[in-house]
Structure formats: structure tokens, C-alpha cells
Amino acid sequence: ESVGVILNYIGTAYRQTGQNRKALKAYLQALVIFEDFNNKAGIAIIFNHLGEVYNNLGESDWARLCCRKALKMFQDLGNSPDGESAALHNMGKAYLQLGRPRQALALFEQALTISQKIHNSLENDFASRNSEATILESIGTAYVKLDQEQQALEFYQKALELRQVASESPSAEARILDYIGAVHYKLGNQTRALWYHLQALGILQALNHTPYSERFLYNTAGYERLLHHLVAVYDRLGLHTQGVKCYQQAIEIVS
């Protein structure tokens, strides 16, 4: 069982550094061990992690299957509200990838209700705040998919406030700022969009000069998305020269 626990940690390390295929292999090895020992809590945790990995790989049907199994096991255990919330959230992400934002939103709202109860019972727990912020961010994204931009901004702002209070995930804070900027761009508010995108860029530039920068440099897709957003805003504002300069400056972050 100790080997299973270690494999779980190895899988999580791979997942958090974007190496999802290696994460999948480690998690499946851990699953076999936990099933041999009938470790139901361990099995539920692994199924939830598998759902997250399958989401990352774009295999939404497998993600839904794993998350559904995890949710049922967490509910049967009766003492894992954080696990239930995580499984509901991951299942919602799968529905979002499948282009079914209303179903995703319903699952995100269930996850949020549970997460807020945990947050309220653990007032100063940063982990619970970050979990709640992640769900709020996903709700905002679901509203973007539903073309309900004002609601999206409301939930993104709530997520941003929680991230700023927890102060444990600057890269996540930058991502939310980027998303808020993208919504303002969609609404035609180009100057506000630029303001939010530049805040996100500033955070990433600061991270690039800290001893912990290596942990954030794996998310190159997020940086590329921010760069495209910035160039689009500058282009819409007719500031082509500034757009080129900003792009050249920002590309150093991911080079």
C-alpha cells in the first residue's frame, strides 16, 4: 500500500508538470495496488485523479466515467466532502469539453456548495480557498460558453479575490486576470481588456525572476493564450507597434 501511495504522489507530480501520459501510467499502477488491498478511499482518490488526467488529455468520456466512479465511492464513504467536490468539478470540466455548458454549470454549482461548506468550517485554510476559487473560475468559464458575459465576470472576480487572499498561486491569479480581459474584449471594452492582460503579464514576468519560476514555466499554453489576447487587443486599438514590442517582450517568458 505504501508503494501505491508513492505512485499516487508520482502521478500527481507528473500531472502538475504537464506530463499527463506518465501521470496516467503511475495512477493506473496505484489503482491496481489499492484494488488488491480493497483500499476504497485510495481507489476513489485515484479515480478522481484519472478523471483530471483524462480531461487534460481531451478524453472527456473516460474522464466522466472515472469521475462518476470516484463520486459514488466518496459518497459511500461519507467522510470525504472535499473528494465529492473535486469529482463533481472534474466531471463538470468533462461536460464543458463536450460542449455541454449547462450540464457542466449544474455540476460546478453542486461542487461549489460543498466547497463553500468546507471553506466556512476551515476559515483560514488556504487549500479550501484555492479549491473554491478553482470552481468559481470554472463557473465563470461555463457562463462564457453560454454567452452570459456579465455573470462570467462576476464569478471570475470572486475567484480572483480568493486567489489574492490565499496568495499561494500567482500563476492562477494571472490566468483569471487574462480570462477577465478576454471577456472585456468580447464585450468591446478594449482598454479594460488591455489593463487586465497587462496585469497578468506583469505577474508572469515577476514569476520569471523568482527561485520558483520553474514550476510555472510548464504552462506554456497559458502564456501563449495571453500573448494572443494581448496582440488582438493592441491590433483592435490600432497600436500595432506596441503589440509587436509587447509580444517580443512576453515571448522571453516562455523561451
Side-chain angles (χ1 to χ4, degrees):
E1 277 189 290
S2 296
V3 174
V5 171
I6 294 168
L7 284 164
N8 176 39
Y9 287 144
I10 290 172
T12 298
Y14 279 132
R15 175 171 53 81
Q16 291 178 342
T17 54
Q19 301 177 75
N20 288 292
R21 290 294 176 188
K22 291 182 178 180
L24 184 61
K25 182 178 178 180
Y27 284 142
L28 289 173
Q29 290 175 318
L31 180 62
V32 170
I33 292 172
F34 287 145
E35 286 179 335
D36 285 345
F37 283 90
N38 196 31
N39 183 335
K40 294 182 180 179
I43 295 169
I45 289 169
I46 294 297
F47 269 123
N48 190 43
H49 287 334
L50 285 170
E52 191 164 358
V53 169
Y54 281 125
N55 271 331
N56 293 340
L57 293 169
E59 299 180 23
S60 304
D61 287 330
W62 280 105
R64 282 193 303 164
L65 177 64
C66 290
C67 292
R68 192 173 290 116
K69 287 185 177 181
L71 178 62
K72 177 66 167 57
M73 295 189 76
F74 282 131
Q75 289 172 334
D76 289 344
L77 288 168
N79 60 351
S80 303
D82 53 340
E84 289 183 46
S85 178
L88 286 163
H89 178 242
N90 286 331
M91 200 186 309
K93 288 170 66 177
Y95 276 107
L96 206 57
Q97 288 187 7
L98 290 167
R100 299 163 67 178
R102 292 195 183 280
Q103 291 94 327
L105 185 59
L107 290 163
F108 291 151
E109 288 173 343
Q110 291 180 59
L112 180 63
T113 299
I114 297 171
S115 182
Q116 286 176 332
K117 288 180 180 178
I118 297 171
H119 182 172
N120 291 337
S121 64
L122 302 170
E123 188 173 345
N124 296 315
D125 184 69
F126 287 154
S128 68
R129 289 179 179 177
N130 278 321
S131 296
E132 185 177 341
T134 300
I135 299 168
L136 288 166
E137 182 181 330
S138 294
I139 291 175
T141 301
Y143 276 121
V144 169
K145 299 292 185 182
L146 291 167
D147 295 319
Q148 298 181 39
E149 286 79 14
Q150 292 302 327
Q151 290 92 328
L153 286 175
E154 177 185 340
F155 281 93
Y156 280 150
Q157 190 61 46
K158 289 178 180 178
L160 179 62
E161 289 168 3
L162 278 178
R163 292 288 190 201
Q164 290 170 335
V165 169
S167 301
E168 286 195 343
S169 185
S171 62
E173 183 180 339
R175 183 180 61 244
I176 297 171
L177 287 164
D178 182 36
Y179 286 170
I180 293 173
V183 174
H184 280 294
Y185 179 87
K186 190 176 179 181
L187 291 169
N189 303 326
Q190 308 307 328
T191 53
R192 288 191 67 79
L194 180 61
W195 187 72
Y196 281 105
H197 289 322
L198 288 177
Q199 284 189 77
L201 180 61
I203 291 172
L204 297 182
Q205 287 174 321
L207 287 174
N208 198 40
H209 294 90
T210 69
Y212 303 100
S213 61
E214 64 272 11
R215 99 170 68 158
F216 302 102
L217 291 176
Y218 293 109
N219 187 18
T220 55
Y223 294 160
E224 290 171 4
R225 180 183 59 243
L226 171 58
L227 297 183
H228 286 302
H229 288 163
L230 274 167
V231 171
V233 172
Y234 275 124
D235 187 58
R236 187 66 65 86
L237 291 170
L239 302 171
H240 307 297
T241 301
Q242 289 90 331
V244 171
K245 288 181 179 178
C246 183
Y247 187 90
Q248 290 173 339
Q249 179 186 27
I251 201 68
E252 296 177 2
I253 299 173
V254 295
S255 62

